[in-house]
Amino acid sequence: MTQHVRPPIRSEYDLVLAPFVEAPVERRLPLSTRVWQQGWLRKGLILVVLALAWEALARWQDNDLLLPGFGATLSALAEGLGSGELLERARISLTVLAEAYAGGVVLAFALTTLAVSTQFGRDLLSTLTAMFNPLPAIALLPLALLWFGLGSGSLIFVLVHAVLWPLALNTFAGFQGVPETLRMAGRNYGLTGLSYVWQILIPAALPAILSGLKIGWAFAWRTLIAAELVFGAASGQGGLGWYIYQNRNELYTDRVFAGLLLVIAIGLIVENVVFATFERLTVRRWGMVR
């Protein structure tokens, strides 16, 4: 008969290590490194270099009708802002853009919700995106003018097209990339339909959704300026694109560049303030992106 021998139990003890004092555990970074880590400073430096290159090229060209200097453009921009004209033009453009952007976001989420819920929805989304995503939004402007006339309705129709398809594609791709464990967790909690999409799919796919929102915003903003350059005024009023077009006809090139500079400034603010804040409060806080 085999006798089982129990192994001896080793006694446990704690080994207290002496504190390490031979060298500093944490080394403070040099001032230049800490300063260079500031993203706003690096981006600001890029803008300063571009502005200096612009001014140098304008002085070498020496023709304000073709290319006014950066200083002259800033002066025209300050004059337009001070008179309130540029602010009013920007308000008109941004109001139309906000309405169209909201409509495009709602339609995109409706399509993608249907796509992740049914096979018919997936077929519908893939077919529509294959048809309309390659179609430039500005190409629909003549049709929009025929249907809605000279007004904000035509612009909204064109801008919804610019926002809808890239956002729907990115959102659906994000939904497809949600891990199966999260999907199973949602089903175990009894989530279905809109609650399942809202509480499981959207938070997990938020990086892709945020990318789609950025792309949709950029497409809509440039499409709006281009559309306003074509017909621009609605009910006697026009936005930034119309302001640029009018001053080009009157050969006020500095005002043309001032309008373009304001378009760029609005784009920078939306990208680096609005979207950056939303990203910092969500996906970066949750550790979903680096």
PDB file of all heavy atoms in Angstrom, residues 162-199:
ATOM      1  N   ALA A 162     -23.672  65.518 -48.382  1.00  0.00           N
ATOM      2  CA  ALA A 162     -22.237  65.521 -48.086  1.00  0.00           C
ATOM      3  C   ALA A 162     -21.934  64.873 -46.744  1.00  0.00           C
ATOM      4  O   ALA A 162     -20.883  64.250 -46.571  1.00  0.00           O
ATOM      5  CB  ALA A 162     -21.713  66.961 -48.104  1.00  0.00           C
ATOM      6  N   VAL A 163     -22.842  65.004 -45.776  1.00  0.00           N
ATOM      7  CA  VAL A 163     -22.599  64.471 -44.433  1.00  0.00           C
ATOM      8  C   VAL A 163     -22.999  63.006 -44.323  1.00  0.00           C
ATOM      9  O   VAL A 163     -22.316  62.200 -43.666  1.00  0.00           O
ATOM     10  CB  VAL A 163     -23.379  65.310 -43.391  1.00  0.00           C
ATOM     11  CG1 VAL A 163     -23.268  64.684 -42.003  1.00  0.00           C
ATOM     12  CG2 VAL A 163     -22.882  66.737 -43.373  1.00  0.00           C
ATOM     13  N   LEU A 164     -24.101  62.646 -44.946  1.00  0.00           N
ATOM     14  CA  LEU A 164     -24.759  61.364 -44.690  1.00  0.00           C
ATOM     15  C   LEU A 164     -23.877  60.161 -44.978  1.00  0.00           C
ATOM     16  O   LEU A 164     -23.695  59.284 -44.117  1.00  0.00           O
ATOM     17  CB  LEU A 164     -26.046  61.297 -45.512  1.00  0.00           C
ATOM     18  CG  LEU A 164     -26.826  59.978 -45.504  1.00  0.00           C
ATOM     19  CD1 LEU A 164     -27.200  59.571 -44.089  1.00  0.00           C
ATOM     20  CD2 LEU A 164     -28.069  60.095 -46.378  1.00  0.00           C
ATOM     21  N   TRP A 165     -23.306  60.092 -46.157  1.00  0.00           N
ATOM     22  CA  TRP A 165     -22.676  58.840 -46.589  1.00  0.00           C
ATOM     23  C   TRP A 165     -21.347  58.568 -45.902  1.00  0.00           C
ATOM     24  O   TRP A 165     -21.113  57.436 -45.447  1.00  0.00           O
ATOM     25  CB  TRP A 165     -22.534  58.839 -48.113  1.00  0.00           C
ATOM     26  CG  TRP A 165     -23.830  59.155 -48.777  1.00  0.00           C
ATOM     27  CD1 TRP A 165     -24.129  60.229 -49.555  1.00  0.00           C
ATOM     28  CD2 TRP A 165     -25.048  58.395 -48.671  1.00  0.00           C
ATOM     29  NE1 TRP A 165     -25.436  60.197 -49.933  1.00  0.00           N
ATOM     30  CE2 TRP A 165     -26.031  59.084 -49.421  1.00  0.00           C
ATOM     31  CE3 TRP A 165     -25.402  57.221 -48.020  1.00  0.00           C
ATOM     32  CZ2 TRP A 165     -27.334  58.628 -49.523  1.00  0.00           C
ATOM     33  CZ3 TRP A 165     -26.705  56.759 -48.123  1.00  0.00           C
ATOM     34  CH2 TRP A 165     -27.646  57.454 -48.869  1.00  0.00           C
ATOM     35  N   PRO A 166     -20.423  59.519 -45.771  1.00  0.00           N
ATOM     36  CA  PRO A 166     -19.192  59.195 -45.010  1.00  0.00           C
ATOM     37  C   PRO A 166     -19.465  58.865 -43.561  1.00  0.00           C
ATOM     38  O   PRO A 166     -18.817  57.981 -42.987  1.00  0.00           O
ATOM     39  CB  PRO A 166     -18.331  60.457 -45.161  1.00  0.00           C
ATOM     40  CG  PRO A 166     -19.272  61.539 -45.567  1.00  0.00           C
ATOM     41  CD  PRO A 166     -20.349  60.881 -46.348  1.00  0.00           C
ATOM     42  N   LEU A 167     -20.421  59.552 -42.943  1.00  0.00           N
ATOM     43  CA  LEU A 167     -20.736  59.258 -41.543  1.00  0.00           C
ATOM     44  C   LEU A 167     -21.369  57.880 -41.415  1.00  0.00           C
ATOM     45  O   LEU A 167     -21.042  57.118 -40.492  1.00  0.00           O
ATOM     46  CB  LEU A 167     -21.673  60.324 -40.986  1.00  0.00           C
ATOM     47  CG  LEU A 167     -22.136  60.119 -39.544  1.00  0.00           C
ATOM     48  CD1 LEU A 167     -20.948  59.981 -38.598  1.00  0.00           C
ATOM     49  CD2 LEU A 167     -23.039  61.257 -39.105  1.00  0.00           C
ATOM     50  N   ALA A 168     -22.269  57.526 -42.333  1.00  0.00           N
ATOM     51  CA  ALA A 168     -22.905  56.214 -42.270  1.00  0.00           C
ATOM     52  C   ALA A 168     -21.881  55.101 -42.472  1.00  0.00           C
ATOM     53  O   ALA A 168     -21.914  54.075 -41.766  1.00  0.00           O
ATOM     54  CB  ALA A 168     -24.004  56.128 -43.330  1.00  0.00           C
ATOM     55  N   LEU A 169     -20.959  55.277 -43.404  1.00  0.00           N
ATOM     56  CA  LEU A 169     -19.938  54.261 -43.644  1.00  0.00           C
ATOM     57  C   LEU A 169     -19.035  54.074 -42.423  1.00  0.00           C
ATOM     58  O   LEU A 169     -18.763  52.947 -42.007  1.00  0.00           O
ATOM     59  CB  LEU A 169     -19.097  54.643 -44.860  1.00  0.00           C
ATOM     60  CG  LEU A 169     -19.675  54.306 -46.240  1.00  0.00           C
ATOM     61  CD1 LEU A 169     -18.778  54.855 -47.337  1.00  0.00           C
ATOM     62  CD2 LEU A 169     -19.834  52.801 -46.403  1.00  0.00           C
ATOM     63  N   ASN A 170     -18.572  55.177 -41.847  1.00  0.00           N
ATOM     64  CA  ASN A 170     -17.698  55.072 -40.684  1.00  0.00           C
ATOM     65  C   ASN A 170     -18.421  54.487 -39.482  1.00  0.00           C
ATOM     66  O   ASN A 170     -17.864  53.681 -38.731  1.00  0.00           O
ATOM     67  CB  ASN A 170     -17.143  56.452 -40.327  1.00  0.00           C
ATOM     68  CG  ASN A 170     -15.904  56.808 -41.123  1.00  0.00           C
ATOM     69  OD1 ASN A 170     -15.964  56.909 -42.339  1.00  0.00           O
ATOM     70  ND2 ASN A 170     -14.787  56.987 -40.466  1.00  0.00           N
ATOM     71  N   THR A 171     -19.673  54.886 -39.280  1.00  0.00           N
ATOM     72  CA  THR A 171     -20.437  54.369 -38.148  1.00  0.00           C
ATOM     73  C   THR A 171     -20.682  52.877 -38.295  1.00  0.00           C
ATOM     74  O   THR A 171     -20.522  52.108 -37.331  1.00  0.00           O
ATOM     75  CB  THR A 171     -21.773  55.117 -38.034  1.00  0.00           C
ATOM     76  OG1 THR A 171     -21.521  56.523 -37.890  1.00  0.00           O
ATOM     77  CG2 THR A 171     -22.564  54.636 -36.831  1.00  0.00           C
ATOM     78  N   PHE A 172     -21.056  52.446 -39.488  1.00  0.00           N
ATOM     79  CA  PHE A 172     -21.313  51.015 -39.697  1.00  0.00           C
ATOM     80  C   PHE A 172     -20.030  50.208 -39.556  1.00  0.00           C
ATOM     81  O   PHE A 172     -20.042  49.107 -38.984  1.00  0.00           O
ATOM     82  CB  PHE A 172     -21.928  50.792 -41.075  1.00  0.00           C
ATOM     83  CG  PHE A 172     -22.335  49.371 -41.327  1.00  0.00           C
ATOM     84  CD1 PHE A 172     -23.387  48.805 -40.628  1.00  0.00           C
ATOM     85  CD2 PHE A 172     -21.659  48.592 -42.251  1.00  0.00           C
ATOM     86  CE1 PHE A 172     -23.760  47.493 -40.842  1.00  0.00           C
ATOM     87  CE2 PHE A 172     -22.035  47.282 -42.484  1.00  0.00           C
ATOM     88  CZ  PHE A 172     -23.083  46.726 -41.777  1.00  0.00           C
ATOM     89  N   ALA A 173     -18.910  50.749 -40.046  1.00  0.00           N
ATOM     90  CA  ALA A 173     -17.627  50.051 -39.880  1.00  0.00           C
ATOM     91  C   ALA A 173     -17.280  49.945 -38.392  1.00  0.00           C
ATOM     92  O   ALA A 173     -16.764  48.916 -37.937  1.00  0.00           O
ATOM     93  CB  ALA A 173     -16.528  50.784 -40.639  1.00  0.00           C
ATOM     94  N   GLY A 174     -17.556  51.005 -37.625  1.00  0.00           N
ATOM     95  CA  GLY A 174     -17.320  50.938 -36.188  1.00  0.00           C
ATOM     96  C   GLY A 174     -18.210  49.926 -35.504  1.00  0.00           C
ATOM     97  O   GLY A 174     -17.766  49.184 -34.611  1.00  0.00           O
ATOM     98  N   PHE A 175     -19.469  49.861 -35.897  1.00  0.00           N
ATOM     99  CA  PHE A 175     -20.382  48.869 -35.330  1.00  0.00           C
ATOM    100  C   PHE A 175     -19.919  47.448 -35.645  1.00  0.00           C
ATOM    101  O   PHE A 175     -20.002  46.555 -34.797  1.00  0.00           O
ATOM    102  CB  PHE A 175     -21.789  49.074 -35.891  1.00  0.00           C
ATOM    103  CG  PHE A 175     -22.507  50.272 -35.332  1.00  0.00           C
ATOM    104  CD1 PHE A 175     -23.702  50.706 -35.877  1.00  0.00           C
ATOM    105  CD2 PHE A 175     -21.980  50.981 -34.265  1.00  0.00           C
ATOM    106  CE1 PHE A 175     -24.357  51.812 -35.358  1.00  0.00           C
ATOM    107  CE2 PHE A 175     -22.625  52.085 -33.743  1.00  0.00           C
ATOM    108  CZ  PHE A 175     -23.819  52.500 -34.291  1.00  0.00           C
ATOM    109  N   GLN A 176     -19.416  47.252 -36.865  1.00  0.00           N
ATOM    110  CA  GLN A 176     -18.941  45.917 -37.246  1.00  0.00           C
ATOM    111  C   GLN A 176     -17.716  45.498 -36.447  1.00  0.00           C
ATOM    112  O   GLN A 176     -17.468  44.303 -36.274  1.00  0.00           O
ATOM    113  CB  GLN A 176     -18.604  45.896 -38.739  1.00  0.00           C
ATOM    114  CG  GLN A 176     -19.805  46.046 -39.659  1.00  0.00           C
ATOM    115  CD  GLN A 176     -20.730  44.853 -39.616  1.00  0.00           C
ATOM    116  OE1 GLN A 176     -21.704  44.843 -38.856  1.00  0.00           O
ATOM    117  NE2 GLN A 176     -20.446  43.843 -40.404  1.00  0.00           N
ATOM    118  N   GLY A 177     -16.942  46.469 -35.968  1.00  0.00           N
ATOM    119  CA  GLY A 177     -15.729  46.146 -35.229  1.00  0.00           C
ATOM    120  C   GLY A 177     -15.933  45.999 -33.732  1.00  0.00           C
ATOM    121  O   GLY A 177     -14.948  45.796 -33.007  1.00  0.00           O
ATOM    122  N   VAL A 178     -17.153  46.099 -33.242  1.00  0.00           N
ATOM    123  CA  VAL A 178     -17.407  45.933 -31.810  1.00  0.00           C
ATOM    124  C   VAL A 178     -17.143  44.475 -31.422  1.00  0.00           C
ATOM    125  O   VAL A 178     -17.645  43.553 -32.064  1.00  0.00           O
ATOM    126  CB  VAL A 178     -18.857  46.324 -31.469  1.00  0.00           C
ATOM    127  CG1 VAL A 178     -19.175  46.033 -30.005  1.00  0.00           C
ATOM    128  CG2 VAL A 178     -19.081  47.802 -31.766  1.00  0.00           C
ATOM    129  N   PRO A 179     -16.359  44.226 -30.373  1.00  0.00           N
ATOM    130  CA  PRO A 179     -16.046  42.846 -29.979  1.00  0.00           C
ATOM    131  C   PRO A 179     -17.302  42.036 -29.632  1.00  0.00           C
ATOM    132  O   PRO A 179     -18.289  42.589 -29.125  1.00  0.00           O
ATOM    133  CB  PRO A 179     -15.143  43.011 -28.752  1.00  0.00           C
ATOM    134  CG  PRO A 179     -14.591  44.389 -28.863  1.00  0.00           C
ATOM    135  CD  PRO A 179     -15.652  45.212 -29.534  1.00  0.00           C
ATOM    136  N   GLU A 180     -17.224  40.757 -29.902  1.00  0.00           N
ATOM    137  CA  GLU A 180     -18.370  39.890 -29.656  1.00  0.00           C
ATOM    138  C   GLU A 180     -18.696  39.789 -28.177  1.00  0.00           C
ATOM    139  O   GLU A 180     -19.857  39.590 -27.803  1.00  0.00           O
ATOM    140  CB  GLU A 180     -18.086  38.490 -30.220  1.00  0.00           C
ATOM    141  CG  GLU A 180     -19.297  37.570 -30.268  1.00  0.00           C
ATOM    142  CD  GLU A 180     -20.408  38.091 -31.146  1.00  0.00           C
ATOM    143  OE1 GLU A 180     -20.108  38.799 -32.135  1.00  0.00           O
ATOM    144  OE2 GLU A 180     -21.590  37.798 -30.838  1.00  0.00           O
ATOM    145  N   THR A 181     -17.695  39.931 -27.314  1.00  0.00           N
ATOM    146  CA  THR A 181     -17.965  39.867 -25.876  1.00  0.00           C
ATOM    147  C   THR A 181     -18.885  40.999 -25.440  1.00  0.00           C
ATOM    148  O   THR A 181     -19.777  40.796 -24.595  1.00  0.00           O
ATOM    149  CB  THR A 181     -16.643  39.933 -25.095  1.00  0.00           C
ATOM    150  OG1 THR A 181     -15.900  41.075 -25.524  1.00  0.00           O
ATOM    151  CG2 THR A 181     -15.823  38.681 -25.325  1.00  0.00           C
ATOM    152  N   LEU A 182     -18.680  42.190 -25.985  1.00  0.00           N
ATOM    153  CA  LEU A 182     -19.568  43.308 -25.646  1.00  0.00           C
ATOM    154  C   LEU A 182     -20.970  43.074 -26.183  1.00  0.00           C
ATOM    155  O   LEU A 182     -21.969  43.403 -25.527  1.00  0.00           O
ATOM    156  CB  LEU A 182     -19.000  44.619 -26.201  1.00  0.00           C
ATOM    157  CG  LEU A 182     -17.742  45.158 -25.527  1.00  0.00           C
ATOM    158  CD1 LEU A 182     -17.272  46.437 -26.215  1.00  0.00           C
ATOM    159  CD2 LEU A 182     -18.005  45.428 -24.054  1.00  0.00           C
ATOM    160  N   ARG A 183     -21.053  42.504 -27.370  1.00  0.00           N
ATOM    161  CA  ARG A 183     -22.372  42.203 -27.928  1.00  0.00           C
ATOM    162  C   ARG A 183     -23.109  41.191 -27.044  1.00  0.00           C
ATOM    163  O   ARG A 183     -24.308  41.347 -26.758  1.00  0.00           O
ATOM    164  CB  ARG A 183     -22.230  41.658 -29.351  1.00  0.00           C
ATOM    165  CG  ARG A 183     -21.605  42.628 -30.335  1.00  0.00           C
ATOM    166  CD  ARG A 183     -21.374  41.948 -31.686  1.00  0.00           C
ATOM    167  NE  ARG A 183     -20.733  42.816 -32.640  1.00  0.00           N
ATOM    168  CZ  ARG A 183     -21.371  43.640 -33.468  1.00  0.00           C
ATOM    169  NH1 ARG A 183     -22.702  43.688 -33.452  1.00  0.00           N
ATOM    170  NH2 ARG A 183     -20.715  44.412 -34.305  1.00  0.00           N
ATOM    171  N   MET A 184     -22.392  40.159 -26.612  1.00  0.00           N
ATOM    172  CA  MET A 184     -23.015  39.146 -25.766  1.00  0.00           C
ATOM    173  C   MET A 184     -23.421  39.729 -24.421  1.00  0.00           C
ATOM    174  O   MET A 184     -24.479  39.381 -23.879  1.00  0.00           O
ATOM    175  CB  MET A 184     -22.041  37.980 -25.565  1.00  0.00           C
ATOM    176  CG  MET A 184     -21.741  37.210 -26.842  1.00  0.00           C
ATOM    177  SD  MET A 184     -20.444  35.966 -26.621  1.00  0.00           S
ATOM    178  CE  MET A 184     -21.228  34.906 -25.417  1.00  0.00           C
ATOM    179  N   ALA A 185     -22.602  40.648 -23.886  1.00  0.00           N
ATOM    180  CA  ALA A 185     -22.965  41.286 -22.627  1.00  0.00           C
ATOM    181  C   ALA A 185     -24.256  42.077 -22.772  1.00  0.00           C
ATOM    182  O   ALA A 185     -25.123  42.049 -21.886  1.00  0.00           O
ATOM    183  CB  ALA A 185     -21.833  42.200 -22.161  1.00  0.00           C
ATOM    184  N   GLY A 186     -24.392  42.779 -23.884  1.00  0.00           N
ATOM    185  CA  GLY A 186     -25.621  43.524 -24.110  1.00  0.00           C
ATOM    186  C   GLY A 186     -26.833  42.623 -24.226  1.00  0.00           C
ATOM    187  O   GLY A 186     -27.909  42.923 -23.680  1.00  0.00           O
ATOM    188  N   ARG A 187     -26.674  41.503 -24.902  1.00  0.00           N
ATOM    189  CA  ARG A 187     -27.802  40.572 -25.047  1.00  0.00           C
ATOM    190  C   ARG A 187     -28.138  39.935 -23.702  1.00  0.00           C
ATOM    191  O   ARG A 187     -29.322  39.675 -23.403  1.00  0.00           O
ATOM    192  CB  ARG A 187     -27.462  39.503 -26.080  1.00  0.00           C
ATOM    193  CG  ARG A 187     -27.231  40.053 -27.490  1.00  0.00           C
ATOM    194  CD  ARG A 187     -27.131  38.927 -28.510  1.00  0.00           C
ATOM    195  NE  ARG A 187     -26.711  39.420 -29.809  1.00  0.00           N
ATOM    196  CZ  ARG A 187     -25.470  39.328 -30.271  1.00  0.00           C
ATOM    197  NH1 ARG A 187     -24.523  38.755 -29.525  1.00  0.00           N
ATOM    198  NH2 ARG A 187     -25.149  39.800 -31.454  1.00  0.00           N
ATOM    199  N   ASN A 188     -27.122  39.644 -22.904  1.00  0.00           N
ATOM    200  CA  ASN A 188     -27.386  39.051 -21.586  1.00  0.00           C
ATOM    201  C   ASN A 188     -28.177  39.995 -20.678  1.00  0.00           C
ATOM    202  O   ASN A 188     -28.932  39.552 -19.810  1.00  0.00           O
ATOM    203  CB  ASN A 188     -26.069  38.671 -20.909  1.00  0.00           C
ATOM    204  CG  ASN A 188     -25.415  37.476 -21.566  1.00  0.00           C
ATOM    205  OD1 ASN A 188     -26.085  36.681 -22.233  1.00  0.00           O
ATOM    206  ND2 ASN A 188     -24.107  37.338 -21.402  1.00  0.00           N
ATOM    207  N   TYR A 189     -27.987  41.285 -20.862  1.00  0.00           N
ATOM    208  CA  TYR A 189     -28.756  42.266 -20.103  1.00  0.00           C
ATOM    209  C   TYR A 189     -30.139  42.515 -20.711  1.00  0.00           C
ATOM    210  O   TYR A 189     -30.894  43.340 -20.192  1.00  0.00           O
ATOM    211  CB  TYR A 189     -27.998  43.585 -20.013  1.00  0.00           C
ATOM    212  CG  TYR A 189     -26.972  43.620 -18.921  1.00  0.00           C
ATOM    213  CD1 TYR A 189     -25.620  43.496 -19.205  1.00  0.00           C
ATOM    214  CD2 TYR A 189     -27.347  43.785 -17.590  1.00  0.00           C
ATOM    215  CE1 TYR A 189     -24.664  43.527 -18.197  1.00  0.00           C
ATOM    216  CE2 TYR A 189     -26.408  43.821 -16.573  1.00  0.00           C
ATOM    217  CZ  TYR A 189     -25.065  43.692 -16.881  1.00  0.00           C
ATOM    218  OH  TYR A 189     -24.131  43.727 -15.882  1.00  0.00           O
ATOM    219  N   GLY A 190     -30.436  41.831 -21.807  1.00  0.00           N
ATOM    220  CA  GLY A 190     -31.747  41.978 -22.423  1.00  0.00           C
ATOM    221  C   GLY A 190     -31.904  43.195 -23.296  1.00  0.00           C
ATOM    222  O   GLY A 190     -33.040  43.615 -23.587  1.00  0.00           O
ATOM    223  N   LEU A 191     -30.790  43.787 -23.743  1.00  0.00           N
ATOM    224  CA  LEU A 191     -30.873  44.978 -24.584  1.00  0.00           C
ATOM    225  C   LEU A 191     -31.172  44.584 -26.026  1.00  0.00           C
ATOM    226  O   LEU A 191     -30.543  43.670 -26.569  1.00  0.00           O
ATOM    227  CB  LEU A 191     -29.557  45.765 -24.525  1.00  0.00           C
ATOM    228  CG  LEU A 191     -29.146  46.287 -23.148  1.00  0.00           C
ATOM    229  CD1 LEU A 191     -27.800  46.977 -23.228  1.00  0.00           C
ATOM    230  CD2 LEU A 191     -30.193  47.240 -22.594  1.00  0.00           C
ATOM    231  N   THR A 192     -32.092  45.275 -26.630  1.00  0.00           N
ATOM    232  CA  THR A 192     -32.442  45.044 -28.033  1.00  0.00           C
ATOM    233  C   THR A 192     -32.765  46.385 -28.680  1.00  0.00           C
ATOM    234  O   THR A 192     -33.033  47.377 -27.998  1.00  0.00           O
ATOM    235  CB  THR A 192     -33.660  44.121 -28.165  1.00  0.00           C
ATOM    236  OG1 THR A 192     -34.769  44.710 -27.446  1.00  0.00           O
ATOM    237  CG2 THR A 192     -33.371  42.731 -27.628  1.00  0.00           C
ATOM    238  N   GLY A 193     -32.741  46.405 -30.008  1.00  0.00           N
ATOM    239  CA  GLY A 193     -33.166  47.583 -30.742  1.00  0.00           C
ATOM    240  C   GLY A 193     -32.321  48.809 -30.435  1.00  0.00           C
ATOM    241  O   GLY A 193     -31.093  48.767 -30.359  1.00  0.00           O
ATOM    242  N   LEU A 194     -33.003  49.938 -30.228  1.00  0.00           N
ATOM    243  CA  LEU A 194     -32.320  51.203 -30.008  1.00  0.00           C
ATOM    244  C   LEU A 194     -31.508  51.204 -28.713  1.00  0.00           C
ATOM    245  O   LEU A 194     -30.423  51.804 -28.652  1.00  0.00           O
ATOM    246  CB  LEU A 194     -33.337  52.349 -29.980  1.00  0.00           C
ATOM    247  CG  LEU A 194     -33.965  52.729 -31.328  1.00  0.00           C
ATOM    248  CD1 LEU A 194     -35.008  53.821 -31.131  1.00  0.00           C
ATOM    249  CD2 LEU A 194     -32.903  53.182 -32.320  1.00  0.00           C
ATOM    250  N   SER A 195     -32.013  50.575 -27.673  1.00  0.00           N
ATOM    251  CA  SER A 195     -31.259  50.530 -26.410  1.00  0.00           C
ATOM    252  C   SER A 195     -29.949  49.763 -26.574  1.00  0.00           C
ATOM    253  O   SER A 195     -28.921  50.140 -26.002  1.00  0.00           O
ATOM    254  CB  SER A 195     -32.111  49.893 -25.312  1.00  0.00           C
ATOM    255  OG  SER A 195     -32.477  48.567 -25.667  1.00  0.00           O
ATOM    256  N   TYR A 196     -29.962  48.701 -27.376  1.00  0.00           N
ATOM    257  CA  TYR A 196     -28.747  47.926 -27.640  1.00  0.00           C
ATOM    258  C   TYR A 196     -27.740  48.767 -28.429  1.00  0.00           C
ATOM    259  O   TYR A 196     -26.539  48.789 -28.120  1.00  0.00           O
ATOM    260  CB  TYR A 196     -29.116  46.668 -28.412  1.00  0.00           C
ATOM    261  CG  TYR A 196     -27.955  45.855 -28.913  1.00  0.00           C
ATOM    262  CD1 TYR A 196     -27.174  45.112 -28.038  1.00  0.00           C
ATOM    263  CD2 TYR A 196     -27.644  45.822 -30.268  1.00  0.00           C
ATOM    264  CE1 TYR A 196     -26.108  44.364 -28.503  1.00  0.00           C
ATOM    265  CE2 TYR A 196     -26.584  45.086 -30.738  1.00  0.00           C
ATOM    266  CZ  TYR A 196     -25.820  44.344 -29.855  1.00  0.00           C
ATOM    267  OH  TYR A 196     -24.759  43.619 -30.319  1.00  0.00           O
ATOM    268  N   VAL A 197     -28.232  49.502 -29.430  1.00  0.00           N
ATOM    269  CA  VAL A 197     -27.347  50.362 -30.223  1.00  0.00           C
ATOM    270  C   VAL A 197     -26.795  51.498 -29.377  1.00  0.00           C
ATOM    271  O   VAL A 197     -25.595  51.804 -29.412  1.00  0.00           O
ATOM    272  CB  VAL A 197     -28.111  50.914 -31.455  1.00  0.00           C
ATOM    273  CG1 VAL A 197     -27.259  51.950 -32.184  1.00  0.00           C
ATOM    274  CG2 VAL A 197     -28.496  49.791 -32.398  1.00  0.00           C
ATOM    275  N   TRP A 198     -27.653  52.120 -28.561  1.00  0.00           N
ATOM    276  CA  TRP A 198     -27.251  53.294 -27.792  1.00  0.00           C
ATOM    277  C   TRP A 198     -26.296  52.961 -26.649  1.00  0.00           C
ATOM    278  O   TRP A 198     -25.352  53.709 -26.388  1.00  0.00           O
ATOM    279  CB  TRP A 198     -28.503  53.992 -27.260  1.00  0.00           C
ATOM    280  CG  TRP A 198     -28.219  55.255 -26.515  1.00  0.00           C
ATOM    281  CD1 TRP A 198     -28.258  55.445 -25.169  1.00  0.00           C
ATOM    282  CD2 TRP A 198     -27.840  56.517 -27.069  1.00  0.00           C
ATOM    283  NE1 TRP A 198     -27.926  56.733 -24.846  1.00  0.00           N
ATOM    284  CE2 TRP A 198     -27.662  57.420 -25.992  1.00  0.00           C
ATOM    285  CE3 TRP A 198     -27.631  56.968 -28.371  1.00  0.00           C
ATOM    286  CZ2 TRP A 198     -27.293  58.746 -26.193  1.00  0.00           C
ATOM    287  CZ3 TRP A 198     -27.254  58.295 -28.559  1.00  0.00           C
ATOM    288  CH2 TRP A 198     -27.099  59.152 -27.484  1.00  0.00           C
ATOM    289  N   GLN A 199     -26.522  51.853 -25.984  1.00  0.00           N
ATOM    290  CA  GLN A 199     -25.742  51.535 -24.791  1.00  0.00           C
ATOM    291  C   GLN A 199     -24.541  50.631 -25.061  1.00  0.00           C
ATOM    292  O   GLN A 199     -23.618  50.598 -24.242  1.00  0.00           O
ATOM    293  CB  GLN A 199     -26.644  50.881 -23.734  1.00  0.00           C
ATOM    294  CG  GLN A 199     -27.776  51.778 -23.264  1.00  0.00           C
ATOM    295  CD  GLN A 199     -28.581  51.145 -22.146  1.00  0.00           C
ATOM    296  OE1 GLN A 199     -28.031  50.617 -21.187  1.00  0.00           O
ATOM    297  NE2 GLN A 199     -29.910  51.189 -22.272  1.00  0.00           N
TER     298      GLN A 199
END
